[in-house]
Amino acid sequence: MEERTLRVLEYGKVLELLADKTSSSLGRELAEGLQPSDDPVIIKEMLGEVSECRALREMGDQIPLGGIHDVREAVKRADAGGILVAEVLIHISSTLRASRQIAAFFAQRKERTPLLSDWAQGIGDFRQLERAIDAAIGPGGEVQDSASPELGRIRAQIRTYQNRLKDKLDSMVRSSEMQRYLQENLVTMRNDRYVLPVKQEYKAMVPGIVHDQSSSGATLFIEPMAVVELNNQLRQLDAAEQEEIRRILAELSAAVGSRAPEIRATISILAHLDFVNAKAKLAEDMRAEEPEIADGAQITLVGARHPLLKGAVVPIDLELGRSFDTLVITGPNTGGKTVTLKTVGLLTLMAQSGLHVPARTGTSLSVFNQIYSDIGDEQSIEQSLSTFSSHMTHIVDILAKSGGSDTLVLLDELGAGTDPTEGAALAMAILQHLHQKGVRTVATTHYAELKTFAYTTPGLQNASVEFDVETLRPTYRLILGTPGRSNAFEIAKRLGLPDELVDQARGMLSSEHNTMEELIENIHQ
C-alpha cells in the first residue's frame, strides 16, 4: 500500500491506539508494524480471530497475558553458547510460565475459539526448563543455596567464616584498650574485607593492612593482622561461590539454548495472541463490528464513524461499486466531505489489516490491491509548486498507477486551485477516465458542473453533506443520490443582505446555472 496514502489517511494514528492496547513489547512491535493485506483469505482469518477474542472477553474470559517478556535476544545469546545472568533467566521462566498458562487456557476453549486455539497448539512444553530455572533462582533474581549441593556447601562455609570474623572483630571492638584507638565502635567493610575504623594518630597501635581512609584523613580503615587469614579464607570461598554460580548459570543457559527454536516459535505465538487481544480491546473502545469481506470491489458502510474523531460523531451510510463505481460528494466547507473521504479510506485499510471497523452490522468492504488518495493541501515547498500544480502532479501519478476495479481512488476538491471553468472540465475528464477503467472512485468538489455530470453519466452518483440553512451549520449527514445545494443566497439573506441585492445576484447567473439549481432543488424535494 502506498506510504503516502497511509500517511494522509492517518493510518499510523490507528496503529498508535492499537499499540497502546498491547500487554507486552512483543505485541506492541506487531501492532506498530501492521500493514494492510490484499489476501481475502488472510483478512477473513484475522477478522475472525478478533471476533473470537471479543467473544471470550464478553464472557469475562481474559487471555492470561501477564508475565510475558521479550527474551528473543537472550535466547539467541544462549543458543550461541553465551551465559545469561540470573535476572534474564527469571524473565525467560516467567515467559515460559505464561506460555504454559495460555496453552492450558485455550486447550479448555477449543470449540469456542478454533482459530486462536490453533495458534496456541503451537506453544511448546517447557515445564522441565521452567522448574529448573525456578528451583535455582529466586524471584528477586538471586541464585539460591538449593541451586546445587556444592553451592549450598560453599555458602554454609562462608557463613561460618563470616561468624568467626565478626566474633573476632566484635571482641576487639569491645576491648576497653582497643576502644581508645577506634573512631567508632563498629565493624565495617572495605574492598570486601572486614575492617575497623582507627583514628589516624593510633595507626601504629593497631597492626594490620590499611584499606581506606576517610575524606578528612582522620580515620583509617584497618584490617587487623589477627583476622587477615580469616579474611583470605573468606575471599577464597567467595571466589568459589562465584565460580559455582557461573557454572549453574551456564548450565541453565545451555538448557535454554538447546530449546531455542521452540522458544522462539512460542514467543512468536505469544506476540500474536497479545496482538489479537489488543485488536479486540481497540474494537471494544471504538464500538466496532466485524465487517463482511465482499467480492466484486464493493463498499457498503452502515453507520460508519471516523475512528479518530472524538465526541458525538455523526455516522454515515455510503455505498460504492454496485450500481455505480464513482461517487461525487458536494456540499459546504467544514460540512464533512473530507472526513467522509477519509472514513471510506481508513475503514478499508483497517478491515484489510484485520481490524474491526467503527460501523454497524451490514457493513461490507472489498479488498483493494491499491488505495490512492489526494487529500488536503500537501504542496511541495521544495519544488515551489502551487496548490493546483501539486495536486495535479499527484493525480497524474495516480492515473498512471490505477488499474481496474481492484483500485480505490479518493480525490479531495478535485480540480480546485485554478480557473473554475477549466478546473471543472479537468475534473470531469479525470472522473470519466477512472470510470472507464473501472476504478472505484470517491471525489469531493465544489464545482456545480460536476453535480450535473454525475447526475447524467451512467455509473456515477451524487452525494452531499447536509447544511441547515436555519442554523447556518452543517449537520454532517451524508445523503446519497442528492447533490449539494449552493445555499449562498439563502445564507446571505439570513445574514441580512437586502433582498434586492440577492435578487440582483440571481439575475446575473446564467440560465444554465439556474436550470441546474432548479434540477437540484427538484431532486431534494
Side-chain angles (χ1 to χ4, degrees):
M1 201 65 69
E2 190 181 55
E3 189 279 330
R4 185 180 191 273
T5 294
L6 299 179
R7 184 182 72 253
V8 168
L9 295 178
E10 300 178 286
Y11 178 76
K13 291 185 179 180
V14 174
L15 298 192
E16 289 174 12
L17 295 176
L18 177 62
D20 288 342
K21 300 295 181 186
T22 57
S23 300
S24 69
S25 59
L26 295 166
R28 172 173 282 273
E29 186 177 301
L30 291 181
E32 291 174 341
L34 179 60
Q35 290 288 311
S37 170
D38 59 4
D39 186 330
V41 175
I42 292 175
I43 292 167
K44 289 176 183 178
E45 186 170 304
M46 290 192 296
L47 292 169
E49 289 173 354
V50 179
S51 293
E52 286 185 1
C53 190
R54 291 185 70 180
L56 284 176
R57 293 174 59 83
E58 286 169 7
M59 296 183 68
D61 273 352
Q62 301 280 351
I63 303 175
L65 293 166
I68 297 175
H69 299 272
D70 184 358
V71 293
R72 290 172 296 181
E73 191 59 39
V75 172
K76 179 181 178 182
R77 194 159 64 249
D79 193 21
I83 298 177
L84 306 178
V85 298
E87 291 81 3
V88 170
L89 285 166
I90 282 293
H91 285 164
I92 291 175
S93 171
S94 175
T95 303
L96 298 182
R97 186 179 306 108
S99 74
R100 174 168 52 82
Q101 293 168 346
I102 289 171
F105 176 86
F106 282 107
Q108 299 170 1
R109 297 163 176 81
K110 284 184 179 180
E111 293 183 2
R112 290 159 50 198
T113 58
L115 294 173
L116 295 178
S117 294
D118 190 51
W119 276 91
Q121 283 179 356
I123 294 175
D125 185 348
F126 306 101
R127 281 174 290 186
Q128 187 175 345
L129 177 56
E130 181 192 335
R131 283 196 292 265
I133 294 173
D134 291 347
I137 303 172
E142 71 284 357
V143 179
Q144 302 184 103
D145 294 1
S146 58
S148 76
E150 178 65 10
L151 183 61
R153 184 190 66 79
I154 292 171
R155 285 183 172 170
Q157 285 188 297
I158 288 173
R159 287 190 288 271
T160 299
Y161 276 92
Q162 285 175 334
N163 290 334
R164 288 181 187 176
L165 262 169
K166 288 177 182 177
D167 289 345
K168 184 72 173 176
L169 290 171
D170 284 344
S171 66
M172 295 175 70
V173 168
R174 288 195 299 270
S175 165
S176 57
E177 181 179 356
M178 181 63 75
Q179 288 179 0
R180 295 171 49 211
Y181 311 139
L182 299 179
Q183 198 70 259
E184 293 181 82
N185 296 333
L186 56 81
V187 177
T188 185
M189 293 194 77
R190 287 295 186 276
N191 300 325
D192 293 328
R193 298 179 78 90
Y194 289 94
V195 296
L196 297 175
V198 179
K199 296 176 182 176
Q200 168 68 35
E201 59 269 26
Y202 293 117
K203 174 185 176 183
M205 304 306 296
V206 184
I209 302 170
V210 178
H211 285 279
D212 197 5
Q213 68 177 12
S214 64
S215 56
S216 65
T219 303
L220 300 177
F221 296 94
I222 297 176
E223 178 187 0
M225 292 304 297
V227 299
V228 168
E229 184 56 30
L230 283 173
N231 261 328
N232 287 342
Q233 291 173 329
L234 190 58
R235 295 288 68 74
Q236 290 174 6
L237 288 169
D238 285 342
E241 178 193 26
Q242 293 307 311
E243 180 58 31
E244 180 61 10
I245 287 174
R246 183 184 180 282
R247 187 196 67 78
I248 292 167
L249 295 178
E251 188 176 275
L252 292 172
S253 300
V256 171
S258 69
R259 304 288 302 276
E262 299 163 82
I263 296 174
R264 277 193 284 264
T266 292
I267 288 171
S268 295
I269 294 169
L270 299 182
H272 181 78
L273 293 173
D274 181 19
F275 176 47
V276 173
N277 191 62
K279 286 182 175 182
K281 291 196 285 187
L282 181 65
E284 290 167 356
D285 280 1
M286 289 183 175
R287 293 178 289 116
E289 297 288 342
E290 178 182 354
E292 177 189 347
I293 300 303
D295 299 324
Q298 302 175 17
I299 294 176
T300 301
L301 298 181
V302 181
R305 292 164 280 110
H306 193 287
L308 301 178
L309 292 181
K310 305 297 182 184
V313 180
V314 178
I316 62 168
D317 295 340
L318 179 147
E319 66 174 77
L320 180 70
R322 291 183 179 176
S323 56
F324 56 90
D325 56 30
T326 302
L327 184 65
V328 178
I329 304 175
T330 50
N333 286 329
T334 71
K337 297 194 303 296
T338 302
V339 169
T340 296
L341 212 58
K342 288 186 172 183
T343 300
V344 173
L346 188 52
L347 266 58
T348 302
L349 290 175
M350 288 175 65
Q352 291 186 213
S353 302
L355 294 168
H356 288 190
V357 299
R360 294 202 300 271
T361 303
T363 293
S364 65
L365 295 158
S366 290
V367 177
F368 292 95
N369 291 335
Q370 284 295 339
I371 301 175
Y372 298 110
S373 62
D374 183 66
I375 300 175
D377 182 9
E378 292 197 321
Q379 60 180 320
S380 171
I381 297 174
E382 296 83 1
Q383 298 176 9
S384 299
L385 296 176
S386 68
T387 301
F388 175 75
S389 298
S390 175
H391 283 301
M392 194 51 58
T393 298
H394 189 227
I395 289 172
V396 168
D397 185 53
I398 290 174
L399 294 178
K401 292 177 179 177
S402 295
S405 61
D406 62 352
T407 303
L408 175 64
V409 172
L410 308 170
L411 303 172
D412 193 27
E413 297 299 348
L414 182 58
T418 188
D419 175 78
T421 303
E422 295 181 356
L426 280 171
M428 287 187 282
I430 290 167
L431 291 180
Q432 184 73 51
H433 176 78
L434 291 170
H435 172 56
Q436 289 172 348
K437 293 177 74 173
V439 174
R440 301 304 187 250
T441 306
V442 183
T444 70
T445 182
H446 272 98
Y447 292 137
E449 292 87 343
L450 264 66
K451 303 174 188 178
T452 306
F453 177 66
Y455 185 71
T456 57
T457 305
L460 274 68
Q461 178 65 282
N462 275 300
S464 61
V465 286
E466 191 178 53
F467 187 86
D468 190 334
V469 179
E470 297 298 320
T471 63
L472 301 183
R473 291 181 181 277
T475 68
Y476 304 106
R477 290 178 59 230
L478 180 72
I479 306 173
L480 281 178
T482 61
R485 287 176 287 188
S486 173
N487 297 317
F489 295 147
E490 288 78 3
I491 292 172
K493 288 177 66 174
R494 288 193 59 80
L495 292 176
L497 191 68
D499 289 347
E500 60 270 20
L501 291 183
V502 174
D503 293 339
Q504 185 179 349
R506 287 186 194 275
M508 293 179 176
L509 292 175
S510 66
S511 59
E512 291 84 356
H513 184 92
N514 285 325
T515 301
M516 183 178 61
E517 285 301 314
E518 289 176 10
L519 172 65
I520 293 173
E521 179 62 28
N522 289 337
I523 293 171
H524 276 271
Q525 291 299 329

